[in-house]
Amino acid sequence: MGYRIVVAGATGNVGREMLNILAEREFPLDDIAVVASSRSQGDEVDFGETGRKLKVQNIDHFDPTGWDMALFAIGSEGTKIHAPRFAAAGCTVIDNSSLYRMDPDVPLIVPEVNPDAIAGYTKRNIIANPNCSTAQMVVALKPLHDFAKIKRVVVSTYQSVSGAGKAGMDELFEQSRNIFVGDSAEAKKFTKQIAFNVIPHIDSFLDDGSTKEEWKMVVETKKILDPKIKVTATCVRVPVFVGHSESINIEFENEISAAQAQKILREAPGVMLVDKREDGGYVTPVECVGEYATFISRVREDSTVENGLSLWCVSDNLRKGAALNAVQIAELLGRRYLNKGD
């Protein structure tokens, strides 16, 4: 006996990746439905590489009664309308938008980090997926925090354009092509030219000068990992199609060496340590595309603080940062509470 699963936003980057991962991981399904806005009604999407085509239904007219879980990748506006409707019908919503992440009645889950928090899903029948840059960072931080207790994190991100959706990827491609042939590289999706450039601005600015993306990393890390951890972030968009990278500096309460950190990370769930300290002995975003793991490289001690480490963290943002994490939440929910897929 398997689950009846809905993928909402199935025609977008994350929705398509959700379908790929459900198929790859052979999620125990009895039925699957794909829904999106009226613009996509009647379109067909691939169910991974199974050869199966799924016809897109209009989410406005879809009845979620009798469905077990819905993986949402439709943005906050659509989620605000449809998530409560699905949840009230008994279909647990696993939401990729930012709408419910800081709601105290909605668990914010990274299965390798805080699986027990999923118990709180019954309050709203909704579970939140964290921001893509937060998800990979907390996977790296959790085992180190358990060992030496993190006091403070300073992170700078190098975030790919796929984090801004298909429009972001199209803009990088078009600008790059236009520059090569001498045409205009006018910015439309981003605030400045993204091709051959970096933009220290993701999401809207807040009153204190930080951006909403940076704020998300701060508050989500506290909610998922530990409210006592101090976090400061600088989030930067870079001309990479897929794969977010992060330079993370960590200050601990207790002593921890680079060698100890490497040993811990080597054994940590969801982490792949690639740290050879030689030419090419590290992972770049191009190499992480299509992979499940969060890759850690360049682990070294920071001599400017008493107990400090620096490291490099790379992950496929469409996978661990979004679709994979949502599917892992679905697997966790099924395993612990719904008990259908055995």
Side-chain angles (χ1 to χ4, degrees), residues 244-318:
H244 287 357
S245 306
E246 297 172 349
S247 171
I248 307 174
N249 180 264
I250 314 161
E251 185 179 354
F252 297 87
E253 285 191 15
N254 303 313
E255 188 175 343
I256 181 171
S257 68
Q260 286 173 316
Q262 288 169 320
K263 184 175 186 297
I264 291 164
L265 291 166
R266 195 173 286 115
E267 298 169 359
V271 170
M272 179 71 71
L273 181 73
V274 180
D275 193 11
K276 294 184 179 177
R277 301 187 178 183
E278 61 186 38
D279 291 355
Y282 42 81
V283 174
T284 62
V286 168
E287 296 153 285
C288 79
V289 176
E291 299 290 339
Y292 288 152
T294 295
F295 293 89
I296 307 295
S297 308
R298 305 280 335 274
V299 180
R300 59 207 186 276
E301 290 161 26
D302 176 5
S303 61
T304 67
V305 293
E306 190 171 348
N307 301 306
L309 291 175
S310 294
L311 55 84
W312 176 249
C313 175
V314 178
S315 191
D316 182 330
N317 56 294
L318 297 179

Side-chain angles (χ1 to χ4, degrees), residues 94-281:
I94 300 169
D95 177 38
N96 195 60
S97 82
S98 62
L99 185 65
Y100 291 107
R101 289 176 188 158
M102 297 316 296
D103 187 320
D105 290 333
V106 174
L108 180 64
I109 300 296
V110 176
E112 298 94 333
V113 178
N114 62 336
D116 292 345
I118 201 170
Y121 89 96
T122 54
K123 292 180 181 176
R124 300 282 294 273
N125 207 22
I126 297 171
I127 302 165
N129 214 19
N131 185 40
C132 47
S133 46
T134 305
Q136 69 186 71
M137 184 171 75
V138 296
V139 168
L141 295 181
K142 166 66 173 173
L144 301 176
H145 182 56
D146 287 347
F147 181 83
K149 200 166 186 185
I150 295 171
K151 289 170 59 177
R152 181 172 184 256
V153 175
V154 180
V155 57
S156 297
T157 71
Y158 307 76
Q159 295 180 227
S160 67
V161 294
S162 57
K166 183 178 181 297
M169 299 177 77
D170 288 346
E171 184 149 315
L172 173 58
F173 177 81
E174 289 165 9
Q175 283 184 355
S176 301
R177 181 185 57 191
N178 289 350
I179 288 168
F180 275 119
V181 299
D183 288 345
S184 169
E186 180 187 356
K188 295 174 184 174
K189 174 66 178 177
F190 299 112
T191 54
K192 298 206 175 196
Q193 176 185 314
I194 185 60
F196 309 100
N197 197 18
V198 298
I199 305 172
H201 173 196
I202 301 177
D203 213 323
S204 55
F205 275 98
L206 305 178
D207 290 342
D208 67 354
S210 62
T211 65
K212 195 171 181 183
E213 184 82 358
E214 291 157 357
W215 172 82
K216 289 175 194 172
M217 290 197 75
V218 173
V219 296
E220 292 175 17
T221 300
K222 288 175 177 285
K223 182 173 179 179
I224 295 167
L225 195 54
D226 189 334
K228 294 179 182 176
I229 295 175
K230 295 178 180 179
V231 182
T232 181
T234 301
C235 293
V236 182
R237 190 73 72 190
V238 298
V240 170
F241 282 107
V242 177
H244 287 357
S245 306
E246 297 172 349
S247 171
I248 307 174
N249 180 264
I250 314 161
E251 185 179 354
F252 297 87
E253 285 191 15
N254 303 313
E255 188 175 343
I256 181 171
S257 68
Q260 286 173 316
Q262 288 169 320
K263 184 175 186 297
I264 291 164
L265 291 166
R266 195 173 286 115
E267 298 169 359
V271 170
M272 179 71 71
L273 181 73
V274 180
D275 193 11
K276 294 184 179 177
R277 301 187 178 183
E278 61 186 38
D279 291 355

Side-chain angles (χ1 to χ4, degrees), residues 72 78-89 93 99-100 124 126:
F72 268 45
T79 298
K80 189 184 298 183
I81 297 167
H82 295 291
R85 180 170 73 85
F86 274 63
V93 173
L99 185 65
Y100 291 107
R124 300 282 294 273
I126 297 171

Side-chain angles (χ1 to χ4, degrees), residues 13-35:
N13 286 344
V14 173
R16 289 177 187 274
E17 203 62 45
M18 286 173 172
L19 291 170
N20 289 338
I21 293 169
L22 286 167
E24 284 174 17
R25 293 171 77 91
E26 298 182 343
F27 191 90
L29 292 168
D30 271 358
D31 200 1
I32 185 166
V34 291
V35 300

